Every structure is written in C-alpha cells, then in structure tokens.
Amino acid sequence: QISDPEACDQMYESLVRIHTNFYKNKYPRLKDTTFTGVTVEDCRMILATDILKQMEDMKKGTWKRLREKFSAKKPEEDLK
C-alpha cells in the first residue's frame, strides 16, 4: 500500500525522464568534452597503456634513464 500516490507518481516520472535521456536531448552539448575540457579521444589516448609507459619514462630524469640503459645486462651476457 502506497501512502502518497502523488509523490510516487512524481518520482516515477522523474526516473523515466532520467532513463530516457530527456535532459540530454533537451539540453544538447555544443562540444563533446568533459568537465575538465578534455575530449573523449584525449581521454582514451591518456588511458592507453603505451602512453602511460611513455609518460613514466618522461618522468624519469636523464641520468636515471642513462643509468638504466647502460647498467641493464643483455640476455646473451647472462648465458655466458
């Protein structure tokens, strides 16, 4: 038994509007961006694993990269 059928109807209509994207269609966006102004393509590019690896490499200092490059042993040297 519903105590307030009128309030229930209002809530139902509100949920229907949300479900059918009523407000998305009523107020279309001029640009397809997020709150920060980044486009969907930029977000996908940032979240890609290759880009994340490149960004991690960029964060490393020059000396650290050189040290890793020259201190890393080649697999052939390990076998000898």
Side-chain angles (χ1 to χ4, degrees):
Q1 195 70 323
I2 299 172
S3 61
D4 191 4
E6 192 172 311
C8 182
D9 290 340
Q10 287 178 346
M11 284 189 243
Y12 178 76
E13 289 172 10
S14 176
L15 290 172
V16 167
R17 284 193 299 269
I18 292 170
H19 177 70
T20 58
N21 288 328
F22 175 80
Y23 295 106
K24 179 183 177 186
N25 297 328
K26 186 176 180 181
Y27 305 106
R29 302 180 85 171
L30 300 176
K31 295 181 180 178
D32 198 18
T33 59
T34 61
F35 172 74
T36 58
V38 179
T39 63
V40 176
E41 292 81 21
D42 292 340
C43 287
R44 287 187 184 137
M45 185 180 74
I46 290 170
L47 294 175
T49 55
D50 295 338
I51 299 297
L52 289 175
K53 289 177 185 175
Q54 288 178 3
M55 290 177 72
E56 287 175 8
D57 289 341
M58 288 172 53
K59 287 181 184 178
K60 293 179 183 177
T62 306
W63 294 111
K64 189 171 184 177
R65 271 189 266 143
L66 288 173
R67 192 174 349 134
E68 286 178 357
K69 183 177 179 180
F70 290 114
S71 68
K73 293 182 181 179
K74 294 180 182 176
E76 299 159 355
E77 292 176 5
D78 291 338
L79 296 174
K80 290 181 181 178

